[in-house]
Amino acid sequence: MLRRIGILAVAALATACLTGSPPATAEEGPEQIPNGTFDTATDPWWHTANLNFELSDGRLCSDVPAGTTNPWDAIIGVNDIPLVKDETYAFSFFATANPGKVARAYVQLPTDPYTQYVSAAPELSVSGNTYSYTFTSPVDLPNAQVVFQLGGSATAWRFCVDNVSLKGGAPPDVYTPDTGPRVRVNQVAYLPKGPKNATVVTDATEALPWQLKDSAGTVVAHGTTTPRGVDASSGQNVHSVDFGSYTKAGTGYTLTADGQTSRPFDIKPDAYASLKLDALKFYYTQRSGIAIDDALRPGYGRPAGHVGVAPNQGDTNVPCQPGVCDYSLDVSGGWYDAGDHGKYVVNGGISVAQLMSEFERTKNAATAKPIGSLNIPESGDAVPDVLDEARWEQEFLLKMQRSDGMVHHKIHDQNWTGLPLLPDQDAQKRELHPVSTAATLNLAATAAQAARIFAPYDAAFAAKNLAAAKKAWAAAKANPNLLASPSDGVGGGTYDDANVSDEFYWAAAELYITTGDKEYKDFVLASPLHTADIWKTGAMDWGNVAALGRLDLATVPNALPGRDEVRASVVAGADKYLAALKAHPYGLPYDTASYDWGSNSIIVNNLVVLATAYDLTGDVKYRDGALEGLDYIFGRNALNQSYVTGYGEVASKNQHSRWYAHSLDTSLPNPPRGSLAGGANSGIQDPVAQAKLKGCKPQFCYIDDINSWATNELTINWNSPLSWISAFVADQGDGTVKAPGACTVTYTTHGTWPTGFTTQITLKNTGTKAIDGWSLKWSFLGGQKVTSSWSAKFSQQAATVTAANEVWNKTIKPGQSVTFGFNGQSAPGANPTPDLFTLNGAACA
């Protein structure tokens, strides 16, 4: 499914080259630029009021004043340039800057939304260079515009230009990606005792020898490849390599086959510890409504965006689109959705839900470990940082709810903005768009989840979320068919969804888990989705959220009838994705003839299902499938590159963004480490992709260009599954499979009353050796608290409880048990039996 429709076609259709003349053409068309040589006059060129024209040495020059803020604050241009659809043009000019500066050169539509057919950011020098670009026009246009944007400098400078030329008849710009060596590996790392697989691109049809070499070039393992034939997703004849039997940790390994040597990689137990944090740290720099502290994110500091400080109109008092409503709302805060300044409830919903689920996994999965510090402003407040970050978005979602319970679908600029543009410099009018059933149910689901998760840390915030969730649920039931318009795509994505039955199912599941109420239980059990095969090519995305409910019903403690069948259905989904992975020569769980928009997120979400099946069953095949599938993201793919910024020898770094825009403005950064690019997209909907990737095989339908929004955007809902799976992989250590502890636990709640409950626990030693000292740990669903206890020493941190032995019951002999208990203080909602008990760090059966 497309992530969005109607995104502004802001596209650079060629790369610059420093040459002495424009590219040669076989049959050059006529010159389209009037007076591009400036021999005696400046007409018909024009300039903004803060510039002047001067002819100097046959060049057009202008002194650019100091103190301009935006590139478009100072412009030189010429109008009425005709373009012919599908014609390829050569655009070139000579330019100087004193002192050296970065300018912007555009061939574009002359009116809003100023669609750009060439978008270039040449670095101008004092001595000057000729810059040449090739592009194919996607439209017939009689009045295109050529402009040089010169603003955005704190200091004054002088700009000169000459020999501006635009001619048709240019040879098409043929794009050939540099795929490097034909041996494709995970360029980051493999776990020492995890699977290790690679793909070799070769013409050979018979098995080939391979060698694994350490950093010194010594052969440490060898074997033969497995021919796999022609891979339909890449069009390549490939072989597979399995070197999983080699387990020694080290750095700088390479794999050699068919005369080619792979890019280097590591074998390390802690290889993904940094990504576990970096994928989450992405969200801090996506925040709206707060200044980003450069001390916390060096190189990424910026003023607060959309807080009503000029030129912003701000998000603190946003009106609706004309005719939609007669009120305004404070919808400040939250995360910017992607590379634009819009904020969308349905995309924010799945994103914040997956971050909260990543935290809930630390309470309920045997191999999960604490997430750690994210170095954000809230760090050190006794709340896990991942929840502090999730709260930033959840509070925004709550603000999007109106008094009747319905929720506005989105808020964004009135019109599309160009690149680059820092959030605080966005001068566009902001607008609320109509309420929708889908957005309302997204809030019902995430607020219900937040109610139980935040209860141990902030009871008032938890209660606020639970009230909002119930109100949203009732409103959605009363308005089940208020759908977002597929034509509402000016200034932001549509995020339209014609079927919200999955949103109803997800919301009911979360409300049931949190409250235990019969209304939600009955809805879940009656929904056709509850027993349907929901495991399609992609398990979940913003428009298909039934799996979010299914996964939480399977993994978060609850008393739903038939829960074993729910868990079995998740395992069945994992079996489907595992079969696809094993059948694919590149080892990815994605069985499709064409790649969808955001294919990388689809792949990673399928890996979440595999990892969840491992959490549920302990069967190592699912864990290994999740580990192997991640190899594709980090370089074991047809393009031989990592799709995560900062990870891998060759990695994406020019993702589509208005403020991580280094390739357009060298004063701005590339995206931060841990940002996932959208990935291969057979639809190639943007002009860059259409010009460069026409006829591409699915895996080749990607380009690391900031203007390729269809293949290379970053988004909050693509980083959320990356964050989840990165934590899972990091939690596996060196890949050693840990055996369950030799114990069983019987947890019985004997009595309940309005404010409390009594629970008795029996811990049995099922092993062959005596237990000499014990500590049993589990987590409550929400805000329950131990108030008194007997026969054990109790302690509690947030929702996690530890019961340790007394002196007199320290030893538990084989086959024997100890019994102890506690009185607890109830929290609003359900109080189910925990799923996970760990004895001295090992999970009980």
Side-chain angles (χ1 to χ4, degrees):
M1 177 178 292
L2 295 182
R3 195 187 71 79
R4 57 175 62 208
I5 303 293
I7 295 181
L8 171 64
V10 181
L13 300 185
T15 54
C17 55
L18 305 184
T19 63
S21 59
T25 59
E27 295 184 17
E28 259 188 8
E31 178 61 66
Q32 305 283 75
I33 301 293
N35 188 25
T37 59
F38 310 111
D39 293 333
T40 59
T42 62
D43 289 338
W45 289 76
W46 54 266
H47 59 78
T48 51
N50 56 347
L51 299 179
N52 62 329
F53 277 162
E54 176 185 335
L55 291 179
S56 176
D57 297 327
R59 299 172 184 171
L60 175 66
C61 296
S62 183
D63 292 315
V64 184
T68 54
T69 302
N70 302 295
W72 53 86
D73 290 343
I75 305 175
I76 290 173
V78 65
N79 296 336
D80 300 322
I81 310 299
L83 298 178
V84 177
K85 184 179 181 181
D86 296 328
E87 178 69 27
T88 300
Y89 294 89
F91 172 55
S92 65
F93 56 90
F94 176 89
T96 68
N98 190 5
K101 292 287 180 180
V102 175
R104 289 171 181 81
Y106 299 135
V107 179
Q108 64 182 23
L109 188 71
T111 58
D112 189 58
Y114 296 99
T115 305
Q116 295 159 358
Y117 312 115
V118 165
S119 172
E123 294 189 39
L124 309 182
S125 67
V126 174
S127 59
N129 288 294
T130 294
Y131 302 86
S132 300
Y133 307 87
T134 301
F135 73 101
T136 300
S137 176
V139 295
D140 284 317
L141 186 65
N143 61 337
Q145 183 180 69
V146 171
V147 296
F148 296 97
Q149 292 186 358
L150 310 174
S153 175
T155 58
W157 62 290
R158 184 172 176 82
F159 170 77
C160 293
V161 66
D162 196 8
N163 296 328
V164 185
S165 174
L166 192 150
K167 295 181 179 180
D173 186 31
V174 179
Y175 171 71
T176 303
D178 180 4
T179 58
R182 290 185 284 103
V183 181
R184 312 292 160 77
V185 298
N186 180 328
Q187 295 174 25
V188 177
Y190 301 88
L191 301 187
K193 295 183 180 179
K196 302 174 190 70
N197 294 276
T199 300
V200 181
V201 179
T202 176
D203 292 333
T205 56
E206 301 296 326
L208 299 167
W210 59 261
Q211 293 180 328
L212 177 67
K213 298 178 181 179
D214 63 17
S215 58
T218 303
V219 176
V220 295
H222 60 89
T224 56
T225 65
T226 300
R228 301 294 296 272
V230 175
D231 164 41
S233 68
S234 65
Q236 301 164 323
N237 189 75
V238 296
H239 293 200
S240 294
V241 175
D242 183 344
F243 58 106
S245 60
Y246 186 80
T247 62
K248 184 178 179 180
T251 61
Y253 287 99
T254 55
L255 190 68
T256 298
D258 198 25
Q260 296 274 300
T261 298
S262 74
R263 288 174 173 147
F265 57 89
D266 297 341
I267 298 176
K268 294 175 60 177
D270 60 349
Y272 292 91
S274 62
L275 182 60
K276 178 178 179 177
L277 300 179
D278 285 343
L280 277 173
K281 289 181 177 181
F282 165 82
Y283 290 93
Y284 174 52
T285 52
Q286 287 290 116
R287 286 189 188 185
S288 176
I290 186 175
I292 304 305
D293 188 346
D294 198 70
L296 299 180
R297 294 291 183 279
Y300 292 90
R302 58 173 173 80
H306 298 97
V307 291
V309 176
N312 272 180
Q313 298 189 34
D315 288 350
T316 57
N317 190 33
V318 180
C320 285
Q321 285 178 305
V324 170
C325 75
D326 59 359
Y327 54 82
S328 297
L329 293 178
D330 176 0
V331 290
S332 56
W335 299 319
Y336 295 117
D337 173 70
D340 62 282
H341 301 135
K343 299 185 292 191
Y344 310 83
V345 170
V346 297
N347 219 38
I350 185 173
S351 305
V352 76
Q354 289 191 303
L355 264 60
M356 290 191 289
S357 292
E358 181 179 339
F359 169 77
E360 282 200 290
R361 182 178 175 271
T362 67
K363 297 168 57 177
N364 302 312
T367 64
K369 298 177 177 63
I371 294 169
S373 173
L374 301 179
N375 198 24
I376 56 179
E378 299 83 2
S379 293
D381 65 356
V383 178
D385 280 3
V386 62
L387 294 188
D388 281 324
E389 192 58 69
R391 181 170 179 160
W392 191 264
E393 176 70 5
Q394 186 60 30
E395 287 184 332
F396 158 72
L397 298 179
L398 291 169
K399 291 178 179 179
M400 294 289 280
Q401 186 175 38
R402 68 185 188 188
S403 59
D404 66 350
M406 293 298 289
V407 177
H408 286 277
H409 199 72
K410 57 179 182 168
I411 175 260
H412 55 66
D413 291 330
Q414 185 177 42
N415 293 295
W416 285 106
T417 58
L419 284 77
L421 182 63
L422 285 165
D424 66 294
Q425 295 301 313
D426 177 16
Q428 288 261 2
K429 178 185 177 184
R430 305 282 275 179
E431 292 179 333
L432 283 169
H433 291 246
V435 297
S436 73
T437 306
T440 304
L441 290 167
N442 266 260
L443 178 64
T446 64
Q449 190 178 12
R452 64 179 182 260
I453 290 173
F454 283 95
Y457 306 100
D458 187 335
F461 184 61
K464 180 180 181 180
N465 273 279
L466 186 56
K470 290 180 175 181
K471 191 173 186 178
W473 173 260
K477 288 188 70 178
N479 300 275
N481 295 304
L482 288 180
L483 305 179
S485 170
S487 62
D488 186 15
V490 177
T494 60
Y495 287 100
D496 57 299
D497 187 353
N499 182 354
V500 295
S501 62
D502 51 322
E503 281 84 2
F504 270 108
Y505 177 73
W506 174 33
E510 299 297 349
L511 279 159
Y512 171 69
I513 293 170
T514 297
T515 68
D517 288 355
K518 183 176 184 298
E519 176 187 357
Y520 311 120
K521 177 186 72 175
D522 290 348
F523 191 97
V524 167
L525 295 176
S527 171
L529 287 171
H530 187 55
T531 53
D533 177 7
I534 59 173
W535 313 111
K536 308 306 180 185
T537 300
M540 51 201 158
D541 56 45
W542 64 264
N544 297 276
V545 293
L548 295 175
R550 186 81 65 87
L551 291 173
D552 277 0
L553 287 169
T555 59
V556 180
N558 65 84
L560 187 73
R563 190 164 176 237
D564 286 344
E565 286 74 20
V566 174
R567 290 173 158 178
S569 74
V570 173
V571 175
D575 286 335
K576 177 177 182 178
Y577 298 131
L578 186 62
L581 182 148
K582 293 301 180 185
H584 201 292
Y586 275 100
L588 61 153
Y590 192 45
D591 184 14
T592 178
S594 62
Y595 280 30
D596 293 319
W597 194 317
S599 62
N600 284 341
S601 73
I602 297 171
I603 291 165
V604 177
N605 271 316
N606 291 354
L607 298 180
V608 169
V609 178
L610 283 165
T612 301
Y614 176 65
D615 285 343
L616 293 172
T617 67
D619 192 330
V620 71
K621 69 181 181 182
Y622 299 117
R623 185 211 66 173
D624 285 357
L627 295 176
E628 181 178 351
L630 201 58
D631 294 344
Y632 171 87
I633 299 297
F634 292 111
R636 188 191 172 197
N637 54 56
L639 289 170
N640 196 14
Q641 69 144 89
S642 167
Y643 285 109
V644 178
T645 306
Y647 284 85
E649 186 174 85
V650 177
S652 298
K653 62 180 181 181
N654 297 306
Q655 288 101 321
H656 178 79
S657 168
R658 281 159 178 75
W659 57 99
Y660 311 130
H662 185 77
S663 62
L664 299 180
D665 183 342
T666 55
S667 70
L668 297 175
N670 287 120
R673 282 172 55 88
S675 305
L676 178 66
N681 173 10
S682 299
I684 57 172
Q685 290 88 349
D686 64 76
V688 169
Q690 291 166 354
K692 302 284 189 179
L693 306 176
K694 186 176 181 180
C696 56
K697 290 290 185 180
Q699 278 202 53
F700 284 100
C701 296
Y702 169 82
I703 184 169
D704 184 26
D705 188 303
I706 193 171
N707 287 304
S708 182
W709 36 261
T711 77
N712 201 36
E713 193 160 14
L714 44 73
T715 78
I716 56 175
N717 67 307
W718 295 346
N719 250 67
S720 56
L722 177 69
S723 176
W724 195 105
I725 201 68
S726 299
F728 173 85
V729 175
D731 291 348
Q732 305 312 309
D734 69 353
T736 300
V737 179
K738 297 179 180 179
C743 52
T744 59
V745 174
T746 303
Y747 182 99
T748 307
T749 299
H750 287 293
T752 61
W753 56 95
T755 60
F757 59 98
T758 298
T759 295
Q760 178 175 292
I761 299 173
T762 299
L763 169 63
K764 182 178 182 179
N765 180 356
T766 60
T768 58
K769 297 181 180 179
I771 297 171
D772 186 20
W774 51 268
S775 176
L776 189 72
K777 184 180 291 187
W778 70 91
S779 292
F780 289 132
L781 176 72
Q784 297 85 355
K785 296 179 181 177
V786 173
T787 57
S788 61
S789 62
W790 58 90
S791 301
K793 298 174 182 177
F794 278 77
S795 61
Q796 183 172 351
Q797 184 176 10
T800 300
V801 180
T802 301
N805 64 270
E806 298 282 6
V807 173
W808 54 269
N809 62 2
K810 176 182 180 182
T811 301
I812 312 175
K813 294 180 180 180
Q816 293 187 344
S817 303
V818 295
T819 299
F820 51 96
F822 65 93
N823 289 325
Q825 176 182 314
S826 295
N831 184 27
T833 299
D835 287 341
L836 175 67
F837 295 89
T838 60
L839 174 62
N840 298 337
C844 290

Coordinates of all heavy atoms in Angstrom, one line a residue, residues 366-367 618 737-745 763-769 771 775-776 836-845:
A366 N 11.1 -13.8 27.4 CA 12.2 -14.3 28.2 C 13.6 -13.8 27.9 O 14.4 -13.7 28.8 CB 12.2 -15.9 28.1
T367 N 13.8 -13.4 26.6 CA 15.1 -12.9 26.2 C 15.2 -11.4 26.3 O 16.3 -10.9 26.0 CB 15.5 -13.4 24.8 OG1 14.6 -12.9 23.9 CG2 15.5 -15.0 24.8
G618 N 9.9 -20.4 21.9 CA 11.3 -20.7 22.1 C 12.0 -21.5 21.0 O 13.1 -22.0 21.2
V737 N 21.2 -20.2 22.6 CA 19.9 -20.4 23.0 C 19.9 -20.9 24.4 O 20.5 -21.8 24.8 CB 19.2 -21.5 22.1 CG1 17.8 -21.8 22.6 CG2 19.2 -21.1 20.6
K738 N 19.1 -20.1 25.2 CA 19.1 -20.4 26.7 C 18.0 -21.4 27.0 O 16.8 -21.2 26.6 CB 18.9 -19.1 27.5 CG 20.1 -18.2 27.3 CD 19.9 -16.9 28.1 CE 21.1 -15.9 27.9 NZ 20.9 -14.7 28.7
A739 N 18.3 -22.4 27.8 CA 17.3 -23.4 28.2 C 16.4 -22.8 29.2 O 16.8 -22.0 30.0 CB 18.0 -24.6 28.7
P740 N 15.1 -23.2 29.2 CA 14.2 -22.7 30.3 C 14.7 -23.2 31.7 O 15.4 -24.2 31.8 CB 12.9 -23.4 29.9 CG 13.0 -23.7 28.5 CD 14.4 -24.1 28.3
G741 N 14.3 -22.4 32.7 CA 14.7 -22.8 34.0 C 13.9 -24.1 34.5 O 12.8 -24.4 34.0
A742 N 14.5 -24.8 35.4 CA 13.9 -26.0 35.9 C 12.9 -25.6 37.0 O 13.1 -25.9 38.2 CB 15.0 -26.9 36.5
C743 N 11.8 -25.0 36.6 CA 10.8 -24.6 37.6 C 9.4 -24.4 37.0 O 9.3 -24.2 35.8 CB 11.2 -23.3 38.3 SG 11.6 -22.0 37.1
T744 N 8.4 -24.5 37.8 CA 7.0 -24.1 37.4 C 6.5 -23.2 38.4 O 6.9 -23.3 39.6 CB 6.1 -25.3 37.2 OG1 6.1 -26.1 38.4 CG2 6.6 -26.2 36.1
V745 N 5.5 -22.4 38.0 CA 4.9 -21.4 38.9 C 3.4 -21.5 38.8 O 2.8 -21.6 37.7 CB 5.3 -20.0 38.6 CG1 4.6 -19.0 39.5 CG2 6.8 -19.8 38.8
L763 N 6.0 -22.1 43.9 CA 7.2 -22.2 43.1 C 7.7 -23.6 43.2 O 8.1 -24.0 44.4 CB 8.3 -21.2 43.4 CG 9.7 -21.4 42.8 CD1 9.6 -21.3 41.3 CD2 10.6 -20.4 43.4
K764 N 7.8 -24.4 42.2 CA 8.2 -25.8 42.2 C 9.5 -26.0 41.5 O 9.7 -25.5 40.4 CB 7.2 -26.7 41.6 CG 7.5 -28.2 41.7 CD 6.4 -29.1 41.2 CE 6.7 -30.6 41.3 NZ 5.6 -31.4 40.8
N765 N 10.4 -26.8 42.1 CA 11.7 -27.1 41.5 C 11.5 -28.4 40.7 O 11.2 -29.5 41.2 CB 12.8 -27.4 42.6 CG 14.1 -27.8 42.0 OD1 14.3 -27.9 40.8 ND2 15.1 -27.9 42.9
T766 N 11.5 -28.3 39.4 CA 11.3 -29.4 38.5 C 12.7 -30.0 38.0 O 12.7 -30.9 37.1 CB 10.5 -29.0 37.3 OG1 11.2 -28.0 36.6 CG2 9.1 -28.5 37.7
G767 N 13.8 -29.5 38.5 CA 15.1 -30.0 38.1 C 15.6 -31.2 38.9 O 14.9 -31.7 39.8
T768 N 16.8 -31.5 38.7 CA 17.5 -32.6 39.4 C 18.4 -32.1 40.5 O 19.0 -33.0 41.2 CB 18.2 -33.5 38.4 OG1 19.2 -32.7 37.8 CG2 17.3 -34.1 37.4
K769 N 18.6 -30.8 40.6 CA 19.5 -30.3 41.7 C 18.7 -29.3 42.6 O 17.7 -28.7 42.1 CB 20.7 -29.5 41.0 CG 21.6 -30.4 40.2 CD 22.7 -29.6 39.6 CE 23.7 -30.4 38.8 NZ 24.8 -29.6 38.2
I771 N 17.7 -26.0 44.6 CA 17.8 -24.6 44.4 C 18.2 -24.0 45.8 O 17.5 -24.1 46.7 CB 16.5 -24.0 43.9 CG1 16.1 -24.6 42.6 CG2 16.6 -22.5 43.9 CD1 14.7 -24.2 42.1
S775 N 15.1 -16.2 43.7 CA 14.5 -14.9 43.5 C 13.6 -15.0 42.3 O 14.1 -15.3 41.2 CB 15.6 -13.8 43.2 OG 15.1 -12.6 42.9
L776 N 12.3 -14.8 42.5 CA 11.3 -15.0 41.4 C 10.8 -13.6 41.0 O 10.5 -12.7 41.8 CB 10.2 -15.8 41.9 CG 9.2 -16.2 40.8 CD1 9.8 -17.3 39.9 CD2 7.9 -16.7 41.5
L836 N 5.1 -14.4 32.2 CA 6.5 -14.7 32.4 C 6.9 -14.6 33.8 O 6.7 -13.6 34.5 CB 7.3 -13.7 31.5 CG 8.9 -13.9 31.6 CD1 9.4 -15.2 31.1 CD2 9.5 -12.7 31.0
F837 N 7.5 -15.7 34.3 CA 8.2 -15.7 35.6 C 9.6 -16.1 35.4 O 9.9 -17.1 34.7 CB 7.5 -16.7 36.6 CG 6.1 -16.3 36.9 CD1 5.0 -16.8 36.1 CD2 5.8 -15.5 38.0 CE1 3.7 -16.4 36.5 CE2 4.5 -15.2 38.4 CZ 3.5 -15.6 37.6
T838 N 10.6 -15.4 36.0 CA 12.0 -15.8 35.9 C 12.5 -16.1 37.3 O 12.3 -15.4 38.2 CB 12.8 -14.7 35.2 OG1 12.7 -13.5 36.0 CG2 12.4 -14.4 33.8
L839 N 13.2 -17.3 37.4 CA 13.8 -17.7 38.6 C 15.3 -17.6 38.5 O 15.9 -18.2 37.6 CB 13.4 -19.2 38.9 CG 14.1 -19.8 40.1 CD1 13.7 -19.1 41.4 CD2 13.8 -21.3 40.2
N840 N 15.8 -16.7 39.3 CA 17.3 -16.4 39.3 C 17.7 -16.1 37.8 O 18.8 -16.5 37.4 CB 18.1 -17.6 39.8 CG 17.7 -17.8 41.3 OD1 17.3 -16.9 42.0 ND2 18.0 -19.1 41.8
G841 N 16.9 -15.4 37.1 CA 17.2 -14.9 35.7 C 16.8 -15.8 34.6 O 16.9 -15.4 33.5
A842 N 16.4 -17.0 34.9 CA 16.0 -18.0 33.8 C 14.4 -18.2 33.9 O 13.8 -18.2 34.9 CB 16.6 -19.3 34.0
A843 N 13.8 -18.2 32.7 CA 12.4 -18.3 32.6 C 11.9 -19.6 33.1 O 12.5 -20.7 32.7 CB 11.9 -18.0 31.2
C844 N 10.9 -19.7 33.9 CA 10.2 -20.9 34.3 C 9.4 -21.4 33.1 O 8.9 -20.7 32.3 CB 9.4 -20.7 35.5 SG 10.3 -20.4 37.0
A845 N 9.2 -22.7 33.1 CA 8.4 -23.3 32.0 C 7.0 -22.9 32.3 O 6.5 -22.8 33.4 CB 8.6 -24.9 32.1

